[in-house]
Amino acid sequence: MSPHSSSSLNSRSLKTRFALRFLRALKKITNRRPTSRSSSREISRRVQRVKLAADASMASAVGPRKAWSRAILLKHRSRSHARVHGLTGHRRETDHDHAITIRKRVMKKRKVHKLDPAFRTNELRRLVPGGEAMDLYNLLDETAHYIKCLTTQVEVMTSIANYCAT
């Protein structure tokens, strides 16, 4: 059996599955590149597409067995559906500035409660995709898996960047 047969594809590591999906997504992003000079807005959009591609590729590589990957895949599909049907609303930069101001206010309030275990649990729920609906045990299990996958994502993306730089 050759190393590239379909049965060996099924047994490949998470790192390999993510890398294949992510490279495929990057190729699509590259093919969408406009021929005109890139504005800062276009560069920002492409950066956002790469981030979404990385998240969706990792969630797809993990599959539906983890709640965080299901949450990311659902979010990705919802965005794709909205884009296809013209339901996306473009935020103005003032909306972004307003969101930053609100985030700063919230962070000041959070400093007071950092030692409270309930606060920490809620923060964790906020950080892990799909974490809002989990009990503490499942939240910790999903968090450990999510961290492992983010580490893998960073390793693969670093390898790709190093390869492209040589």
Side-chain angles (χ1 to χ4, degrees), residues 13-14 16-22 24-25 52-66 68-74 76-77 145 149 153:
S13 70
L14 173 66
T16 303
R17 291 191 315 267
F18 165 69
L20 291 172
R21 286 169 171 83
F22 184 57
R24 214 175 299 133
L52 290 172
D55 287 345
S57 298
M58 181 55 75
S60 177
V62 169
R65 68 180 180 267
K66 289 292 186 181
W68 70 262
S69 64
R70 289 191 303 270
I72 288 176
L73 290 171
L74 181 63
H76 182 69
R77 285 185 192 119
H145 190 266
C149 290
Q153 191 178 60

PDB file of all heavy atoms in Angstrom, residues 13-14 16-22 24-25 52-66 68-74 76-77 145 149 153:
ATOM      1  N   SER A  13      -2.016  12.254  11.091  1.00  0.00           N
ATOM      2  CA  SER A  13      -2.121  13.030  12.322  1.00  0.00           C
ATOM      3  C   SER A  13      -2.971  14.283  12.129  1.00  0.00           C
ATOM      4  O   SER A  13      -3.233  14.727  11.013  1.00  0.00           O
ATOM      5  CB  SER A  13      -0.728  13.447  12.775  1.00  0.00           C
ATOM      6  OG  SER A  13      -0.199  14.413  11.887  1.00  0.00           O
ATOM      7  N   LEU A  14      -3.378  14.834  13.241  1.00  0.00           N
ATOM      8  CA  LEU A  14      -4.130  16.082  13.242  1.00  0.00           C
ATOM      9  C   LEU A  14      -3.335  17.171  12.515  1.00  0.00           C
ATOM     10  O   LEU A  14      -3.881  17.947  11.740  1.00  0.00           O
ATOM     11  CB  LEU A  14      -4.422  16.505  14.689  1.00  0.00           C
ATOM     12  CG  LEU A  14      -5.062  17.860  14.885  1.00  0.00           C
ATOM     13  CD1 LEU A  14      -6.463  17.864  14.304  1.00  0.00           C
ATOM     14  CD2 LEU A  14      -5.107  18.221  16.354  1.00  0.00           C
ATOM     15  N   THR A  16      -1.189  16.888  10.081  1.00  0.00           N
ATOM     16  CA  THR A  16      -1.221  16.688   8.635  1.00  0.00           C
ATOM     17  C   THR A  16      -2.594  17.050   8.074  1.00  0.00           C
ATOM     18  O   THR A  16      -2.685  17.714   7.034  1.00  0.00           O
ATOM     19  CB  THR A  16      -0.878  15.227   8.293  1.00  0.00           C
ATOM     20  OG1 THR A  16       0.400  14.927   8.840  1.00  0.00           O
ATOM     21  CG2 THR A  16      -0.851  15.000   6.803  1.00  0.00           C
ATOM     22  N   ARG A  17      -3.650  16.610   8.750  1.00  0.00           N
ATOM     23  CA  ARG A  17      -4.998  16.928   8.273  1.00  0.00           C
ATOM     24  C   ARG A  17      -5.219  18.433   8.260  1.00  0.00           C
ATOM     25  O   ARG A  17      -5.770  18.979   7.304  1.00  0.00           O
ATOM     26  CB  ARG A  17      -6.055  16.241   9.152  1.00  0.00           C
ATOM     27  CG  ARG A  17      -6.074  14.728   8.993  1.00  0.00           C
ATOM     28  CD  ARG A  17      -7.276  14.078   9.661  1.00  0.00           C
ATOM     29  NE  ARG A  17      -7.589  14.540  10.993  1.00  0.00           N
ATOM     30  CZ  ARG A  17      -7.147  13.978  12.115  1.00  0.00           C
ATOM     31  NH1 ARG A  17      -6.357  12.922  12.071  1.00  0.00           N
ATOM     32  NH2 ARG A  17      -7.499  14.461  13.294  1.00  0.00           N
ATOM     33  N   PHE A  18      -4.774  19.120   9.314  1.00  0.00           N
ATOM     34  CA  PHE A  18      -4.915  20.575   9.352  1.00  0.00           C
ATOM     35  C   PHE A  18      -4.106  21.221   8.237  1.00  0.00           C
ATOM     36  O   PHE A  18      -4.600  22.102   7.528  1.00  0.00           O
ATOM     37  CB  PHE A  18      -4.479  21.136  10.708  1.00  0.00           C
ATOM     38  CG  PHE A  18      -4.272  22.629  10.678  1.00  0.00           C
ATOM     39  CD1 PHE A  18      -5.355  23.479  10.527  1.00  0.00           C
ATOM     40  CD2 PHE A  18      -3.009  23.183  10.757  1.00  0.00           C
ATOM     41  CE1 PHE A  18      -5.181  24.859  10.476  1.00  0.00           C
ATOM     42  CE2 PHE A  18      -2.820  24.549  10.703  1.00  0.00           C
ATOM     43  CZ  PHE A  18      -3.910  25.392  10.560  1.00  0.00           C
ATOM     44  N   ALA A  19      -2.849  20.789   8.066  1.00  0.00           N
ATOM     45  CA  ALA A  19      -1.971  21.393   7.059  1.00  0.00           C
ATOM     46  C   ALA A  19      -2.576  21.270   5.666  1.00  0.00           C
ATOM     47  O   ALA A  19      -2.576  22.244   4.900  1.00  0.00           O
ATOM     48  CB  ALA A  19      -0.589  20.747   7.106  1.00  0.00           C
ATOM     49  N   LEU A  20      -3.087  20.101   5.321  1.00  0.00           N
ATOM     50  CA  LEU A  20      -3.684  19.910   3.994  1.00  0.00           C
ATOM     51  C   LEU A  20      -4.883  20.825   3.783  1.00  0.00           C
ATOM     52  O   LEU A  20      -5.009  21.473   2.738  1.00  0.00           O
ATOM     53  CB  LEU A  20      -4.092  18.450   3.806  1.00  0.00           C
ATOM     54  CG  LEU A  20      -2.955  17.444   3.692  1.00  0.00           C
ATOM     55  CD1 LEU A  20      -3.495  16.019   3.712  1.00  0.00           C
ATOM     56  CD2 LEU A  20      -2.142  17.691   2.430  1.00  0.00           C
ATOM     57  N   ARG A  21      -5.754  20.898   4.776  1.00  0.00           N
ATOM     58  CA  ARG A  21      -6.935  21.751   4.652  1.00  0.00           C
ATOM     59  C   ARG A  21      -6.557  23.232   4.609  1.00  0.00           C
ATOM     60  O   ARG A  21      -7.125  24.008   3.842  1.00  0.00           O
ATOM     61  CB  ARG A  21      -7.893  21.482   5.814  1.00  0.00           C
ATOM     62  CG  ARG A  21      -8.629  20.170   5.686  1.00  0.00           C
ATOM     63  CD  ARG A  21      -9.365  19.825   6.980  1.00  0.00           C
ATOM     64  NE  ARG A  21     -10.251  18.697   6.852  1.00  0.00           N
ATOM     65  CZ  ARG A  21      -9.866  17.431   6.932  1.00  0.00           C
ATOM     66  NH1 ARG A  21      -8.598  17.117   7.121  1.00  0.00           N
ATOM     67  NH2 ARG A  21     -10.757  16.458   6.814  1.00  0.00           N
ATOM     68  N   PHE A  22      -5.616  23.611   5.440  1.00  0.00           N
ATOM     69  CA  PHE A  22      -5.211  25.019   5.501  1.00  0.00           C
ATOM     70  C   PHE A  22      -4.533  25.450   4.201  1.00  0.00           C
ATOM     71  O   PHE A  22      -4.821  26.529   3.677  1.00  0.00           O
ATOM     72  CB  PHE A  22      -4.290  25.241   6.702  1.00  0.00           C
ATOM     73  CG  PHE A  22      -3.900  26.678   6.908  1.00  0.00           C
ATOM     74  CD1 PHE A  22      -4.859  27.658   7.082  1.00  0.00           C
ATOM     75  CD2 PHE A  22      -2.573  27.042   6.940  1.00  0.00           C
ATOM     76  CE1 PHE A  22      -4.511  28.987   7.279  1.00  0.00           C
ATOM     77  CE2 PHE A  22      -2.208  28.365   7.144  1.00  0.00           C
ATOM     78  CZ  PHE A  22      -3.176  29.338   7.302  1.00  0.00           C
ATOM     79  N   ARG A  24      -5.012  24.213   1.259  1.00  0.00           N
ATOM     80  CA  ARG A  24      -6.079  24.293   0.251  1.00  0.00           C
ATOM     81  C   ARG A  24      -6.825  25.626   0.389  1.00  0.00           C
ATOM     82  O   ARG A  24      -7.119  26.299  -0.604  1.00  0.00           O
ATOM     83  CB  ARG A  24      -7.040  23.121   0.443  1.00  0.00           C
ATOM     84  CG  ARG A  24      -7.620  22.620  -0.839  1.00  0.00           C
ATOM     85  CD  ARG A  24      -8.480  21.370  -0.663  1.00  0.00           C
ATOM     86  NE  ARG A  24      -7.717  20.256  -0.124  1.00  0.00           N
ATOM     87  CZ  ARG A  24      -8.111  19.487   0.882  1.00  0.00           C
ATOM     88  NH1 ARG A  24      -9.270  19.671   1.463  1.00  0.00           N
ATOM     89  NH2 ARG A  24      -7.371  18.494   1.312  1.00  0.00           N
ATOM     90  N   ALA A  25      -7.114  26.021   1.624  1.00  0.00           N
ATOM     91  CA  ALA A  25      -7.819  27.282   1.870  1.00  0.00           C
ATOM     92  C   ALA A  25      -6.956  28.480   1.479  1.00  0.00           C
ATOM     93  O   ALA A  25      -7.453  29.451   0.902  1.00  0.00           O
ATOM     94  CB  ALA A  25      -8.221  27.377   3.337  1.00  0.00           C
ATOM     95  N   LEU A  52      -9.822  33.105   9.448  1.00  0.00           N
ATOM     96  CA  LEU A  52     -11.003  32.247   9.338  1.00  0.00           C
ATOM     97  C   LEU A  52     -10.644  30.902   8.721  1.00  0.00           C
ATOM     98  O   LEU A  52     -11.147  29.858   9.150  1.00  0.00           O
ATOM     99  CB  LEU A  52     -12.081  32.935   8.501  1.00  0.00           C
ATOM    100  CG  LEU A  52     -12.757  34.143   9.125  1.00  0.00           C
ATOM    101  CD1 LEU A  52     -13.665  34.844   8.113  1.00  0.00           C
ATOM    102  CD2 LEU A  52     -13.554  33.731  10.341  1.00  0.00           C
ATOM    103  N   ALA A  53      -9.767  30.919   7.724  1.00  0.00           N
ATOM    104  CA  ALA A  53      -9.339  29.671   7.079  1.00  0.00           C
ATOM    105  C   ALA A  53      -8.602  28.781   8.065  1.00  0.00           C
ATOM    106  O   ALA A  53      -8.801  27.560   8.080  1.00  0.00           O
ATOM    107  CB  ALA A  53      -8.453  29.975   5.872  1.00  0.00           C
ATOM    108  N   ALA A  54      -7.759  29.370   8.898  1.00  0.00           N
ATOM    109  CA  ALA A  54      -7.018  28.589   9.891  1.00  0.00           C
ATOM    110  C   ALA A  54      -7.981  27.959  10.891  1.00  0.00           C
ATOM    111  O   ALA A  54      -7.872  26.762  11.205  1.00  0.00           O
ATOM    112  CB  ALA A  54      -5.996  29.471  10.616  1.00  0.00           C
ATOM    113  N   ASP A  55      -8.935  28.730  11.387  1.00  0.00           N
ATOM    114  CA  ASP A  55      -9.901  28.204  12.349  1.00  0.00           C
ATOM    115  C   ASP A  55     -10.768  27.106  11.727  1.00  0.00           C
ATOM    116  O   ASP A  55     -10.956  26.041  12.311  1.00  0.00           O
ATOM    117  CB  ASP A  55     -10.805  29.318  12.883  1.00  0.00           C
ATOM    118  CG  ASP A  55     -10.089  30.249  13.838  1.00  0.00           C
ATOM    119  OD1 ASP A  55      -8.991  29.880  14.317  1.00  0.00           O
ATOM    120  OD2 ASP A  55     -10.615  31.338  14.112  1.00  0.00           O
ATOM    121  N   ALA A  56     -11.302  27.389  10.538  1.00  0.00           N
ATOM    122  CA  ALA A  56     -12.166  26.405   9.881  1.00  0.00           C
ATOM    123  C   ALA A  56     -11.392  25.147   9.508  1.00  0.00           C
ATOM    124  O   ALA A  56     -11.917  24.034   9.624  1.00  0.00           O
ATOM    125  CB  ALA A  56     -12.808  27.021   8.648  1.00  0.00           C
ATOM    126  N   SER A  57     -10.149  25.291   9.086  1.00  0.00           N
ATOM    127  CA  SER A  57      -9.326  24.132   8.731  1.00  0.00           C
ATOM    128  C   SER A  57      -9.059  23.261   9.950  1.00  0.00           C
ATOM    129  O   SER A  57      -9.117  22.027   9.867  1.00  0.00           O
ATOM    130  CB  SER A  57      -8.002  24.577   8.116  1.00  0.00           C
ATOM    131  OG  SER A  57      -8.230  25.283   6.926  1.00  0.00           O
ATOM    132  N   MET A  58      -8.777  23.885  11.078  1.00  0.00           N
ATOM    133  CA  MET A  58      -8.526  23.108  12.294  1.00  0.00           C
ATOM    134  C   MET A  58      -9.803  22.418  12.756  1.00  0.00           C
ATOM    135  O   MET A  58      -9.793  21.237  13.109  1.00  0.00           O
ATOM    136  CB  MET A  58      -7.967  24.000  13.408  1.00  0.00           C
ATOM    137  CG  MET A  58      -7.668  23.235  14.685  1.00  0.00           C
ATOM    138  SD  MET A  58      -6.571  21.806  14.494  1.00  0.00           S
ATOM    139  CE  MET A  58      -5.005  22.619  14.301  1.00  0.00           C
ATOM    140  N   ALA A  59     -10.905  23.148  12.754  1.00  0.00           N
ATOM    141  CA  ALA A  59     -12.173  22.548  13.179  1.00  0.00           C
ATOM    142  C   ALA A  59     -12.556  21.400  12.255  1.00  0.00           C
ATOM    143  O   ALA A  59     -13.023  20.351  12.716  1.00  0.00           O
ATOM    144  CB  ALA A  59     -13.271  23.610  13.212  1.00  0.00           C
ATOM    145  N   SER A  60     -12.317  21.558  10.980  1.00  0.00           N
ATOM    146  CA  SER A  60     -12.616  20.501  10.022  1.00  0.00           C
ATOM    147  C   SER A  60     -11.707  19.295  10.229  1.00  0.00           C
ATOM    148  O   SER A  60     -12.146  18.149  10.118  1.00  0.00           O
ATOM    149  CB  SER A  60     -12.455  21.053   8.601  1.00  0.00           C
ATOM    150  OG  SER A  60     -12.668  20.058   7.658  1.00  0.00           O
ATOM    151  N   ALA A  61     -10.443  19.542  10.538  1.00  0.00           N
ATOM    152  CA  ALA A  61      -9.500  18.445  10.783  1.00  0.00           C
ATOM    153  C   ALA A  61      -9.889  17.656  12.026  1.00  0.00           C
ATOM    154  O   ALA A  61      -9.728  16.437  12.074  1.00  0.00           O
ATOM    155  CB  ALA A  61      -8.083  18.996  10.929  1.00  0.00           C
ATOM    156  N   VAL A  62     -10.416  18.334  13.044  1.00  0.00           N
ATOM    157  CA  VAL A  62     -10.844  17.666  14.276  1.00  0.00           C
ATOM    158  C   VAL A  62     -12.153  16.925  14.036  1.00  0.00           C
ATOM    159  O   VAL A  62     -12.361  15.827  14.551  1.00  0.00           O
ATOM    160  CB  VAL A  62     -10.996  18.691  15.423  1.00  0.00           C
ATOM    161  CG1 VAL A  62     -11.696  18.088  16.615  1.00  0.00           C
ATOM    162  CG2 VAL A  62      -9.633  19.224  15.814  1.00  0.00           C
ATOM    163  N   GLY A  63     -13.030  17.535  13.249  1.00  0.00           N
ATOM    164  CA  GLY A  63     -14.321  16.924  12.987  1.00  0.00           C
ATOM    165  C   GLY A  63     -15.339  17.283  14.053  1.00  0.00           C
ATOM    166  O   GLY A  63     -15.051  18.055  14.970  1.00  0.00           O
ATOM    167  N   PRO A  64     -16.518  16.687  13.985  1.00  0.00           N
ATOM    168  CA  PRO A  64     -17.612  17.079  14.879  1.00  0.00           C
ATOM    169  C   PRO A  64     -17.575  16.454  16.269  1.00  0.00           C
ATOM    170  O   PRO A  64     -18.497  16.640  17.040  1.00  0.00           O
ATOM    171  CB  PRO A  64     -18.850  16.603  14.108  1.00  0.00           C
ATOM    172  CG  PRO A  64     -18.364  15.423  13.344  1.00  0.00           C
ATOM    173  CD  PRO A  64     -16.941  15.755  12.950  1.00  0.00           C
ATOM    174  N   ARG A  65     -16.492  15.752  16.609  1.00  0.00           N
ATOM    175  CA  ARG A  65     -16.496  15.064  17.903  1.00  0.00           C
ATOM    176  C   ARG A  65     -16.253  15.991  19.090  1.00  0.00           C
ATOM    177  O   ARG A  65     -16.443  15.586  20.229  1.00  0.00           O
ATOM    178  CB  ARG A  65     -15.494  13.923  17.902  1.00  0.00           C
ATOM    179  CG  ARG A  65     -14.053  14.328  17.846  1.00  0.00           C
ATOM    180  CD  ARG A  65     -13.138  13.100  17.861  1.00  0.00           C
ATOM    181  NE  ARG A  65     -11.762  13.491  17.806  1.00  0.00           N
ATOM    182  CZ  ARG A  65     -11.053  13.609  16.713  1.00  0.00           C
ATOM    183  NH1 ARG A  65     -11.603  13.356  15.550  1.00  0.00           N
ATOM    184  NH2 ARG A  65      -9.788  13.975  16.757  1.00  0.00           N
ATOM    185  N   LYS A  66     -15.831  17.221  18.856  1.00  0.00           N
ATOM    186  CA  LYS A  66     -15.609  18.188  19.927  1.00  0.00           C
ATOM    187  C   LYS A  66     -16.560  19.370  19.754  1.00  0.00           C
ATOM    188  O   LYS A  66     -16.799  19.836  18.639  1.00  0.00           O
ATOM    189  CB  LYS A  66     -14.157  18.700  19.921  1.00  0.00           C
ATOM    190  CG  LYS A  66     -13.159  17.656  20.367  1.00  0.00           C
ATOM    191  CD  LYS A  66     -13.363  17.369  21.834  1.00  0.00           C
ATOM    192  CE  LYS A  66     -12.327  16.457  22.401  1.00  0.00           C
ATOM    193  NZ  LYS A  66     -12.552  16.184  23.810  1.00  0.00           N
ATOM    194  N   TRP A  68     -16.165  22.523  20.575  1.00  0.00           N
ATOM    195  CA  TRP A  68     -15.556  23.751  20.067  1.00  0.00           C
ATOM    196  C   TRP A  68     -15.433  23.702  18.548  1.00  0.00           C
ATOM    197  O   TRP A  68     -15.634  24.720  17.882  1.00  0.00           O
ATOM    198  CB  TRP A  68     -14.210  24.035  20.733  1.00  0.00           C
ATOM    199  CG  TRP A  68     -13.095  23.100  20.367  1.00  0.00           C
ATOM    200  CD1 TRP A  68     -12.664  22.020  21.081  1.00  0.00           C
ATOM    201  CD2 TRP A  68     -12.275  23.163  19.202  1.00  0.00           C
ATOM    202  NE1 TRP A  68     -11.632  21.405  20.433  1.00  0.00           N
ATOM    203  CE2 TRP A  68     -11.369  22.082  19.268  1.00  0.00           C
ATOM    204  CE3 TRP A  68     -12.215  24.011  18.107  1.00  0.00           C
ATOM    205  CZ2 TRP A  68     -10.424  21.834  18.281  1.00  0.00           C
ATOM    206  CZ3 TRP A  68     -11.261  23.769  17.121  1.00  0.00           C
ATOM    207  CH2 TRP A  68     -10.389  22.691  17.219  1.00  0.00           C
ATOM    208  N   SER A  69     -15.127  22.525  17.980  1.00  0.00           N
ATOM    209  CA  SER A  69     -14.994  22.438  16.521  1.00  0.00           C
ATOM    210  C   SER A  69     -16.371  22.562  15.854  1.00  0.00           C
ATOM    211  O   SER A  69     -16.494  23.204  14.812  1.00  0.00           O
ATOM    212  CB  SER A  69     -14.289  21.148  16.099  1.00  0.00           C
ATOM    213  OG  SER A  69     -15.030  20.013  16.449  1.00  0.00           O
ATOM    214  N   ARG A  70     -17.399  21.981  16.478  1.00  0.00           N
ATOM    215  CA  ARG A  70     -18.755  22.136  15.937  1.00  0.00           C
ATOM    216  C   ARG A  70     -19.163  23.608  15.946  1.00  0.00           C
ATOM    217  O   ARG A  70     -19.776  24.097  14.985  1.00  0.00           O
ATOM    218  CB  ARG A  70     -19.750  21.296  16.735  1.00  0.00           C
ATOM    219  CG  ARG A  70     -19.609  19.802  16.518  1.00  0.00           C
ATOM    220  CD  ARG A  70     -20.778  19.031  17.106  1.00  0.00           C
ATOM    221  NE  ARG A  70     -21.002  19.254  18.518  1.00  0.00           N
ATOM    222  CZ  ARG A  70     -20.456  18.542  19.498  1.00  0.00           C
ATOM    223  NH1 ARG A  70     -19.647  17.546  19.224  1.00  0.00           N
ATOM    224  NH2 ARG A  70     -20.729  18.815  20.764  1.00  0.00           N
ATOM    225  N   ALA A  71     -18.822  24.328  17.011  1.00  0.00           N
ATOM    226  CA  ALA A  71     -19.175  25.752  17.113  1.00  0.00           C
ATOM    227  C   ALA A  71     -18.481  26.564  16.015  1.00  0.00           C
ATOM    228  O   ALA A  71     -19.103  27.429  15.391  1.00  0.00           O
ATOM    229  CB  ALA A  71     -18.809  26.288  18.496  1.00  0.00           C
ATOM    230  N   ILE A  72     -17.209  26.288  15.770  1.00  0.00           N
ATOM    231  CA  ILE A  72     -16.477  27.018  14.731  1.00  0.00           C
ATOM    232  C   ILE A  72     -17.034  26.685  13.352  1.00  0.00           C
ATOM    233  O   ILE A  72     -17.233  27.575  12.521  1.00  0.00           O
ATOM    234  CB  ILE A  72     -14.967  26.711  14.803  1.00  0.00           C
ATOM    235  CG1 ILE A  72     -14.361  27.388  16.029  1.00  0.00           C
ATOM    236  CG2 ILE A  72     -14.256  27.174  13.529  1.00  0.00           C
ATOM    237  CD1 ILE A  72     -12.892  27.088  16.255  1.00  0.00           C
ATOM    238  N   LEU A  73     -17.295  25.402  13.089  1.00  0.00           N
ATOM    239  CA  LEU A  73     -17.836  25.009  11.785  1.00  0.00           C
ATOM    240  C   LEU A  73     -19.205  25.630  11.542  1.00  0.00           C
ATOM    241  O   LEU A  73     -19.499  26.099  10.436  1.00  0.00           O
ATOM    242  CB  LEU A  73     -17.895  23.486  11.674  1.00  0.00           C
ATOM    243  CG  LEU A  73     -16.546  22.786  11.577  1.00  0.00           C
ATOM    244  CD1 LEU A  73     -16.717  21.276  11.685  1.00  0.00           C
ATOM    245  CD2 LEU A  73     -15.819  23.158  10.295  1.00  0.00           C
ATOM    246  N   LEU A  74     -20.043  25.674  12.578  1.00  0.00           N
ATOM    247  CA  LEU A  74     -21.357  26.293  12.442  1.00  0.00           C
ATOM    248  C   LEU A  74     -21.219  27.782  12.143  1.00  0.00           C
ATOM    249  O   LEU A  74     -21.908  28.315  11.266  1.00  0.00           O
ATOM    250  CB  LEU A  74     -22.170  26.073  13.717  1.00  0.00           C
ATOM    251  CG  LEU A  74     -23.585  26.649  13.706  1.00  0.00           C
ATOM    252  CD1 LEU A  74     -24.425  25.968  12.632  1.00  0.00           C
ATOM    253  CD2 LEU A  74     -24.227  26.477  15.068  1.00  0.00           C
ATOM    254  N   HIS A  76     -18.668  29.271  10.772  1.00  0.00           N
ATOM    255  CA  HIS A  76     -18.098  29.404   9.426  1.00  0.00           C
ATOM    256  C   HIS A  76     -19.176  29.186   8.359  1.00  0.00           C
ATOM    257  O   HIS A  76     -19.259  29.941   7.392  1.00  0.00           O
ATOM    258  CB  HIS A  76     -16.951  28.406   9.254  1.00  0.00           C
ATOM    259  CG  HIS A  76     -16.268  28.496   7.945  1.00  0.00           C
ATOM    260  ND1 HIS A  76     -15.484  29.566   7.577  1.00  0.00           N
ATOM    261  CD2 HIS A  76     -16.248  27.643   6.892  1.00  0.00           C
ATOM    262  CE1 HIS A  76     -15.020  29.378   6.365  1.00  0.00           C
ATOM    263  NE2 HIS A  76     -15.459  28.210   5.930  1.00  0.00           N
ATOM    264  N   ARG A  77     -20.001  28.170   8.550  1.00  0.00           N
ATOM    265  CA  ARG A  77     -21.071  27.907   7.582  1.00  0.00           C
ATOM    266  C   ARG A  77     -22.082  29.034   7.562  1.00  0.00           C
ATOM    267  O   ARG A  77     -22.596  29.399   6.505  1.00  0.00           O
ATOM    268  CB  ARG A  77     -21.756  26.587   7.910  1.00  0.00           C
ATOM    269  CG  ARG A  77     -20.926  25.394   7.532  1.00  0.00           C
ATOM    270  CD  ARG A  77     -21.672  24.089   7.745  1.00  0.00           C
ATOM    271  NE  ARG A  77     -20.741  22.994   7.636  1.00  0.00           N
ATOM    272  CZ  ARG A  77     -20.477  22.127   8.608  1.00  0.00           C
ATOM    273  NH1 ARG A  77     -21.098  22.218   9.769  1.00  0.00           N
ATOM    274  NH2 ARG A  77     -19.604  21.164   8.434  1.00  0.00           N
ATOM    275  N   HIS A 145      -8.295  20.279  24.908  1.00  0.00           N
ATOM    276  CA  HIS A 145      -8.204  19.859  23.508  1.00  0.00           C
ATOM    277  C   HIS A 145      -8.017  21.060  22.594  1.00  0.00           C
ATOM    278  O   HIS A 145      -7.228  21.023  21.641  1.00  0.00           O
ATOM    279  CB  HIS A 145      -9.446  19.063  23.109  1.00  0.00           C
ATOM    280  CG  HIS A 145      -9.316  18.405  21.792  1.00  0.00           C
ATOM    281  ND1 HIS A 145      -9.759  18.983  20.626  1.00  0.00           N
ATOM    282  CD2 HIS A 145      -8.758  17.223  21.438  1.00  0.00           C
ATOM    283  CE1 HIS A 145      -9.498  18.184  19.615  1.00  0.00           C
ATOM    284  NE2 HIS A 145      -8.881  17.094  20.078  1.00  0.00           N
ATOM    285  N   CYS A 149      -4.944  21.877  19.994  1.00  0.00           N
ATOM    286  CA  CYS A 149      -5.157  22.164  18.573  1.00  0.00           C
ATOM    287  C   CYS A 149      -4.593  23.526  18.174  1.00  0.00           C
ATOM    288  O   CYS A 149      -4.034  23.666  17.080  1.00  0.00           O
ATOM    289  CB  CYS A 149      -6.640  22.065  18.236  1.00  0.00           C
ATOM    290  SG  CYS A 149      -7.235  20.365  18.287  1.00  0.00           S
ATOM    291  N   GLN A 153      -1.823  24.248  15.415  1.00  0.00           N
ATOM    292  CA  GLN A 153      -2.049  25.256  14.387  1.00  0.00           C
ATOM    293  C   GLN A 153      -0.849  26.197  14.266  1.00  0.00           C
ATOM    294  O   GLN A 153      -0.380  26.478  13.167  1.00  0.00           O
ATOM    295  CB  GLN A 153      -3.318  26.038  14.741  1.00  0.00           C
ATOM    296  CG  GLN A 153      -3.839  26.930  13.655  1.00  0.00           C
ATOM    297  CD  GLN A 153      -5.114  27.614  14.100  1.00  0.00           C
ATOM    298  OE1 GLN A 153      -5.100  28.353  15.089  1.00  0.00           O
ATOM    299  NE2 GLN A 153      -6.204  27.374  13.411  1.00  0.00           N
TER     300      GLN A 153
END
